[in-house]
Amino acid sequence: MKTTQTIFQDGDHKWVAIVRDPGRQDYLIDTNEYLVTHSGQGLLVDPGGLEIFPAVFSAVATEFDPSAIAAVFASHQDPDVISSLALWLEFNPQMRCYISWLWASFIPHFGGNASTFSAIPDEGAAISVGGLSLQAVPAHYLHSSGNFHLYDRTAKVFFSGDVGAALLPSEQQDLFVKDFSAHIRHAEGFHRRWMGSNEAKRQWCERISQLDIDILCPQHGALYQGKDVQRFIDWFDTLHVGVLRG
Amino acid sequence: MTEQLTVAAGIEPKGSALDLLHIVRINEEIKAVVAVAFKINIMALNAIFLAKRAGTAALGFGVLSNELRSFSGQLRETMLSLNGLIHASVGEVSVLLLDSRYSSIFSAAAALVPASARLRSVIERREARTAEYRAKLSVLRRSLRSSVEDAFRLVELGGVLAKSAKIEAAYGASFSVSLSQVSGEFDGIVEEIRGSLDTLRKSRFFRG
Ligand SMILES: [Fe+2]
Ligand SMILES: [Fe+2]
């Protein structure tokens, strides 16, 4: 089972990170899922792959009634992000799925029907969770061509999908980045290879620097907190991406 | 025909995956029979012309050739109707394959969260649906099996026709050598089909 860690709480407004699955098979990439709750409603952020559904479901259940999850947010179309959709929908057919309009007709191959999807336009959109307004922030080509991050202005938490991801050695179990320069070595190859556009990256760094962010939450690896958030943005800004090797 | 379908070492297909492999084998066999049935049709046409040239000495042979020709047509139709059943079975088995994968994931979730009543009801719903899929598949299994039996009986009749043609060939006077050759070929081919269909009826799919 995965572990849950509350990374933000103010009354019933919460961000819960669902991380580190000791039972996960080595051939599956390790992922972080996030649960945002407000006024008794939940939004599951990048709910993860089919195979890890039991681990994510049970972790969620320790924190929150899974039937109160009203929607899932999928940053992009990858299987590690959203291939569990059919199972979540079977558990709760009313659940909605927010995803880029670009993928709205592709994701039903994983599950769902015409009434399941809320297609996010390229410029982004507001997503409400129990009256709390979250912002889907455009991050196209980082890495997917229809890609969104999720910003909670109130909690100052920013979910950054595959941006900020690090493929950490298994002995590194810390939730937050402890030593930025040691950590970022595990992120470099990933960002060079997976991020496709230097121009998109430049614009993203500029826009995200303007936001007030306490915690930056990637889909893989440790979370960035405090000064490490801007450190990461600066590092990413100077990194040359879209490189096959090197 | 190839008996062995290769699977990755160490991975033994079971349940619906095994059913799918058996269906694929049945389908290959059906394709082979359809191809041969077409061959009989051409051969029978040639035999009809040969019998015409042989005249009164080959009247009986001509009648049998006509019968063999309509036999090949019937056989082809029977085999094509099996295709429809095969198609439907593949559909049902694929549904069951996905179903069993999802069910096992839900059971794993329920083992971790035994208190979730909603999860239990999802699993109960699944079990009911799985039973429905299985029932549909066993209806298809039975239809397929009885169609294969029909085809087998038809081919036995074809065998009788081919053997009678062999006897008739002997009365073909100066044509008897060529008539014997043709009827021998008929007999060989019908035996080949008989063998294929016999393999089909014994398919482990019907034991599932
Ligand atoms: Fe991805
Ligand atoms: Fe990812």
Side-chain angles (χ1 to χ4, degrees):
Chain A
M1 191 168 103
K2 298 191 103 180
T3 53
T4 56
Q5 310 226 23
T6 301
I7 54 171
F8 170 85
Q9 178 159 23
D10 177 18
D12 67 350
H13 178 193
K14 268 209 240 182
W15 273 77
V16 178
I18 299 156
V19 294
R20 311 282 183 274
D21 179 7
R24 176 185 55 90
Q25 305 284 348
D26 281 343
Y27 55 78
L28 292 171
I29 189 168
D30 192 26
T31 51
N32 305 329
E33 292 73 34
Y34 299 90
L35 172 71
V36 189
T37 67
H38 192 268
S39 302
Q41 240 189 35
L43 173 82
L44 194 57
V45 179
D46 278 11
L50 194 62
E51 289 296 328
I52 61 156
F53 174 83
V56 175
F57 183 90
S58 54
V60 166
T62 61
E63 279 291 326
F64 190 71
D65 175 4
S67 25
I69 297 175
V72 298
F73 168 87
S75 59
H76 61 293
Q77 84 290 6
D78 272 346
D80 65 329
V81 169
I82 187 67
S83 65
S84 61
L85 181 64
L87 300 176
W88 284 105
L89 285 171
E90 196 166 325
F91 178 72
N92 178 7
Q94 309 304 320
M95 213 179 260
R96 297 197 60 78
C97 174
Y98 293 96
I99 190 155
S100 160
W101 69 274
L102 205 59
W103 302 119
S105 62
F106 290 66
I107 295 303
H109 284 292
F110 284 144
N113 53 43
S115 64
T116 309
F117 298 94
S118 284
I120 311 172
D122 279 343
E123 62 275 20
I127 294 172
S128 165
V129 185
L132 171 77
S133 180
L134 301 175
Q135 189 62 36
V137 179
H140 309 305
Y141 300 103
L142 300 173
H143 63 89
S144 167
S145 38
N147 202 93
F148 285 98
H149 296 164
L150 192 67
Y151 181 49
D152 182 341
R153 166 176 313 122
T154 318
K156 297 181 187 169
V157 174
F158 186 88
F159 168 71
S160 61
D162 281 328
V163 172
L167 306 176
L168 300 172
S170 54
E171 66 272 14
Q172 251 164 66
Q173 296 285 321
D174 291 327
L175 179 63
F176 289 100
V177 171
K178 285 271 151 63
D179 174 351
F180 183 84
S181 50
H183 170 88
I184 211 68
R185 281 203 293 274
H186 301 294
E188 189 170 328
F190 182 89
H191 285 78
R192 281 193 200 280
R193 181 65 174 86
W194 283 94
M195 302 301 152
S197 163
N198 285 297
E199 198 184 321
K201 182 205 63 167
R202 181 79 270 289
Q203 288 172 12
W204 182 88
C205 290
E206 225 166 80
R207 274 184 291 113
I208 303 315
S209 295
Q210 318 279 312
L211 304 176
D212 190 3
I213 300 171
D214 277 349
I215 305 174
L216 186 133
C217 309
Q219 195 216 355
H220 310 278
L223 287 60
Y224 304 78
Q225 194 176 24
K227 287 206 164 45
D228 282 337
V229 174
Q230 191 57 46
R231 237 173 238 144
F232 171 76
I233 297 170
D234 292 343
W235 170 84
F236 192 34
D237 204 9
T238 56
L239 187 74
H240 187 64
V241 300
V243 183
L244 197 56
R245 256 186 281 278
Chain B
M1 71 150 212
T2 45
E3 260 298 340
Q4 220 54 54
L5 263 169
T6 48
V7 287
I11 299 171
E12 278 297 321
K14 33 182 210 287
S16 303
L18 194 59
D19 272 345
L20 196 56
L21 284 182
H22 289 149
I23 293 174
V24 166
R25 295 246 301 267
I26 291 177
N27 194 45
E28 286 308 303
E29 209 72 56
I30 290 174
K31 271 157 61 188
V33 173
V34 168
V36 176
F38 189 69
K39 211 156 89 185
I40 297 182
N41 187 47
I42 305 227
M43 281 172 58
L45 206 57
N46 284 331
I48 291 165
F49 288 131
L50 188 62
K52 282 223 163 100
R53 259 184 292 150
T56 46
L59 270 182
F61 188 90
V63 170
L64 288 166
S65 301
N66 260 315
E67 286 298 314
L68 275 163
R69 194 168 173 232
S70 76
F71 156 73
S72 83
Q74 269 174 283
L75 180 61
R76 205 175 127 82
E77 258 170 48
T78 310
M79 297 318 277
L80 289 178
S81 81
L82 286 181
N83 267 347
L85 290 169
I86 285 286
H87 232 87
S89 304
V90 167
E92 245 8 91
V93 167
S94 311
V95 166
L96 274 164
L97 263 176
L98 192 63
D99 183 70
S100 73
R101 185 171 182 210
Y102 283 11
S103 288
S104 69
I105 294 175
F106 272 119
S107 320
L112 293 170
V113 193
S116 173
R118 188 153 182 176
L119 202 52
R120 271 202 309 278
S121 78
V122 166
I123 290 171
E124 275 161 25
R125 237 186 1 251
R126 288 208 135 255
E127 280 166 355
R129 231 169 354 174
T130 305
E132 256 170 59
Y133 297 145
R134 286 197 190 289
K136 269 196 220 161
L137 184 63
S138 53
V139 168
L140 284 167
R141 233 187 263 274
R142 279 197 298 275
S143 314
L144 197 57
R145 167 152 214 174
S146 83
S147 297
V148 168
E149 288 300 330
D150 287 349
F152 190 74
R153 275 194 292 277
L154 185 65
V155 170
E156 282 195 314
L157 186 74
V160 172
L161 290 173
K163 292 215 164 41
S164 307
K166 253 171 143 175
I167 296 164
E168 283 296 324
Y171 300 104
S174 60
F175 282 89
S176 82
V177 173
S178 40
L179 290 177
S180 291
Q181 200 195 332
V182 171
S183 58
E185 279 170 21
F186 271 135
D187 196 36
I189 285 185
V190 173
E191 276 309 310
E192 196 184 307
I193 297 176
R194 214 180 111 95
S196 280
L197 283 171
D198 202 34
T199 311
L200 269 187
R201 333 151 66 183
K202 289 179 187 140
S203 167
R204 280 158 64 190
F205 179 65
F206 299 126
R207 279 183 249 158

